[in-house]
């Protein structure tokens, strides 16, 4: 089998003296949707941020697309085409939807700009309707669409999404998950997804990891984890 697109091995990350990741192993293969589920504070966002280089891993290794990125600065990692839609979305509130997308394209991708904007408007027709509206005045769901759209403008090899359904109404979450599935199926986009909505994430994902207190405690196919009694009790029932 070919080597994974992303390989995280034995990664420990600290905030001062506090160990947020205690030796994490995760792999993402090309063309997969992989999700990471876990309770608040488990370390999911920290893993995603560590992959992007801030904070950096104290020990272990992170290899992306054949390159060791463990000690690489964040801007160099981004240039390898890892794009992130972070928790809280972090769009530019004073810029219009269109300008936000322009920012996402960066200098390298200007030549694809019109083509890429068209693709994103096809995926999220709402963004086309709202293209002249300032980011900060969009609804939560629209901001999430914009955050994903902006990440896609970077033409990523790996799209990392941190809690895309956070705070959204169920119908809007469903649309977001459907769009992620569509991108994966139609373009073969590789996606690493962090979610508290374990049910939706595991249904969408090829494979999943469960994180507890900075450690991966379980992994398997989306179907296996959905059927696993421990996962059901902790993340799927009554929550
Ligand atoms: P959530 O779903 O609530 O976002 P998470 O699984 O993404 O949770 P992290 O945000 O990665 O968890 O947090 C992991 C641990 O690291 C938590 O105990 C948190 O308090 C701590 N932590 C996160 N960011 C910092 C920081 N900047 N400084 C100190 N501690 C931090």
């Amino acid at each position: 089998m070919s080597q994974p697109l992303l390989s995280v091995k034995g990664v420990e990350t600290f905030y001062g003296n506090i160990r947020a990741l205690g030796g994490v192993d995760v792999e993402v293969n090309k063309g997969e949707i992989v999700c990471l589920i876990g309770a608040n504070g488990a370390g999911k966002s920290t893993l995603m941020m560590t992959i992007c280089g801030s904070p950096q891993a104290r020990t272990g290794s992170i290899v992306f697309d054949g390159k060791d990125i463990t000690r690489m600065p964040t801007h160099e990692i981004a240039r390898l085409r890892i794009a992130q839609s972070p928790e809280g979305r972090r769009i530019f509130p004073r810029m219009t939807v269109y300008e936000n997308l322009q920012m996402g394209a960066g200098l390298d991708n200007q030549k694809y700009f019109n083509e890429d904007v068209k693709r994103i408007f096809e995926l999220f027709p709402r963004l086309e309707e709202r293209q002249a509206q300032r980011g900060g005045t969009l609804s939560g769901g629209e901001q999430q669409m914009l955050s994903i759209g902006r990440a896609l403008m970077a033409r990523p090899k790996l799209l990392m999404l941190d809690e895309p359904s956070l705070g959204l109404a169920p119908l809007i979450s469903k649309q977001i998950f459907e769009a992620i599935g569509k991108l994966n199926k139609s373009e073969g986009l590789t996606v690493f997804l962090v979610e508290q909505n374990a049910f939706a994430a595991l249904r969408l994902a090829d494979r999943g990891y469960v994180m507890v207190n900075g450690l991966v405690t379980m992994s398997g196919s989306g179907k296996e984890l959905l059927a696993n009694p421990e996962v059901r009790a902790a993340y799927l029932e009554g929550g």
Side-chain angles (χ1 to χ4, degrees):
M1 191 154 159
S2 60
Q3 62 173 349
L5 180 64
L6 175 73
S7 169
V8 174
K9 284 207 179 100
V11 159
E12 288 184 300
T13 300
F14 287 75
Y15 295 108
N17 291 326
I18 297 165
R19 192 171 71 161
L21 298 181
V24 170
D25 294 350
V26 162
E27 282 187 352
V28 180
N29 296 304
K30 203 159 177 264
E32 276 188 319
I33 299 181
V34 173
C35 75
L36 178 64
I37 61 172
N40 274 319
K44 306 181 299 298
S45 299
T46 300
L47 176 59
M48 194 159 275
M49 294 189 295
T50 302
I51 293 165
C52 292
S54 176
Q56 280 193 347
R58 188 175 289 184
T59 57
S61 75
I62 306 172
V63 175
F64 175 70
D65 207 15
K67 292 184 190 68
D68 188 334
I69 62 169
T70 322
R71 302 272 169 266
M72 232 183 233
T74 42
H75 65 275
E76 278 181 36
I77 294 174
R79 292 204 70 173
L80 298 176
R81 299 189 183 279
I82 298 184
Q84 196 189 9
S85 166
E87 191 174 345
R89 293 141 201 169
R90 296 206 216 123
I91 55 160
F92 300 109
R94 289 171 175 279
M95 291 187 180
T96 65
V97 165
Y98 194 82
E99 287 163 348
N100 267 277
L101 294 175
Q102 278 177 323
M103 295 301 287
L107 291 176
D108 292 348
N109 299 310
Q110 288 302 325
K111 55 182 176 295
Y112 307 112
F113 184 75
N114 291 334
E115 182 191 328
D116 287 350
V117 167
K118 191 165 163 258
R119 273 171 52 231
I120 286 158
F121 285 168
E122 275 165 17
L123 187 69
F124 298 121
R126 183 66 71 90
L127 291 183
E128 182 165 23
E129 290 165 24
R130 306 278 159 147
Q131 59 181 292
Q133 189 172 325
R134 285 188 190 207
T137 64
L138 296 172
S139 72
E142 290 161 354
Q143 288 191 13
Q144 186 58 58
M145 293 172 196
L146 181 55
S147 178
I148 295 173
R150 192 180 61 181
L152 290 172
M153 291 300 289
R155 303 197 138 222
K157 286 182 183 165
L158 174 65
L159 176 65
M160 299 212 291
L161 304 170
D162 196 348
E163 306 263 9
S165 77
L166 191 70
L168 302 185
L171 190 65
I172 308 290
S173 297
K174 190 164 166 272
Q175 286 173 10
I176 300 279
F177 284 116
E178 279 170 4
I180 298 164
K182 211 161 137 189
L183 281 165
N184 172 260
K185 284 215 170 52
S186 64
E187 304 181 16
L189 181 69
T190 310
V191 180
F192 186 43
L193 175 75
V194 165
E195 258 297 340
Q196 283 210 34
N197 185 345
F199 185 67
L202 290 172
R203 277 213 323 190
L204 177 72
D206 298 300
R207 292 190 304 112
Y209 293 90
V210 179
M211 187 174 254
V212 178
N213 288 332
L215 290 169
V216 170
T217 56
M218 250 187 274
S219 64
S221 71
K223 275 206 183 88
E224 280 164 1
L225 291 176
L226 273 175
N228 181 295
E230 280 177 58
V231 173
R232 296 191 74 87
Y235 305 105
L236 300 174
E237 279 157 16

